[in-house]
Every structure is written in structure tokens, then in C-alpha cells.
Amino acid sequence: DTSGKGLKVTVVGGSGFVGSRVCKILVDCGADVTSVSKSGQAPKWASGQDWAGAVDWKAVDLLGGDEAELDAAMGSPDAVVSTVGVVGTDLDVLLKGNGDTNAAAFASCKRKGVSRIAYVSV
């Protein structure tokens, strides 16, 4: 069954290349989708598309925000998909962008009792 009807899913990094496509697929399957990203906005390519209007776009800085702000943005999902990541050659940037950001998101999941979590890395 590919129906997501009634399922609440938060996509961390939902404004990005991979995350925005995950949001689209989830909306197309009937899920109630929240995107948590630094910009809190749909990507430009999705402007005006019906699925983008169905997503609840939330802005939060995973590295600089406080736990309460992150927890509020995450909502009360049934599941979380993290698509956060950065590329490059700077080790500090990679550790923060791929490690610390996801650690913050998953710590929020733990505080909120979310047990269904997926991590997408490309």
C-alpha cells in the first residue's frame, strides 16, 4: 500500500534538492507534510505547484536555534525523513552540515517520541 493518507511526516531539509522531491512524493501519496529547513520556503522550481501549497513550510536553524524552537517546528509527526546534507571538501563544514544538523533533528525526534525515522544521504 503506497497510501500515505492520515500519515503526518516531517521532512528535515525539505527545501533542498532531495528533500523537496520527498515532500512532493509524500503529498502525492496523501500524507500531511511539514518541511523543516533553514529557509522555510519551497524551492523556486516548485513555485505555483499544487503539492508545494499543501506542505507546511517551517524555518528553523538546526545549528543555531534552540531545542524548543526546533521541537515546535518539527510538530507531532508519525514519521520523520531527514534529507539534510552538504557537500564539499571542508571537514568542519561536512561535520556540521551532515553530522550536527542530523544529530539535532534526531534528538528532537527522541524528545518527541518519534520512532519512525529515515535518513536519506546522496
Side-chain angles (χ1 to χ4, degrees):
D1 182 7
T2 59
S3 174
K5 290 198 185 304
L7 188 64
K8 295 192 308 189
V9 181
T10 296
V11 179
V12 183
S15 293
F17 182 80
V18 174
S20 58
R21 284 144 178 94
V22 170
C23 288
K24 181 184 183 315
I25 290 167
L26 288 167
V27 168
D28 289 347
C29 289
D32 179 14
V33 179
T34 298
S35 167
V36 173
S37 67
K38 198 174 213 177
S39 75
Q41 298 177 353
K44 290 185 193 315
W45 71 266
S47 179
Q49 295 190 23
D50 290 344
W51 72 267
V55 175
D56 185 10
W57 302 95
K58 303 279 187 176
V60 67
D61 183 353
L62 289 167
L63 293 176
D66 64 14
E67 289 179 355
E69 180 184 18
L70 175 56
D71 290 353
M74 295 285 278
S76 298
D78 300 307
V80 170
V81 178
S82 179
T83 62
V84 172
V86 298
V87 295
T89 58
D90 184 310
L91 182 58
D92 288 335
V93 170
L94 291 171
L95 289 172
K96 288 178 183 170
N98 295 310
D100 295 346
T101 54
N102 283 294
F106 295 141
S108 178
C109 292
K110 185 174 181 179
R111 289 190 296 275
K112 297 182 83 56
V114 179
S115 61
R116 293 191 276 183
I117 301 167
Y119 171 67
V120 179
S121 176
V122 292

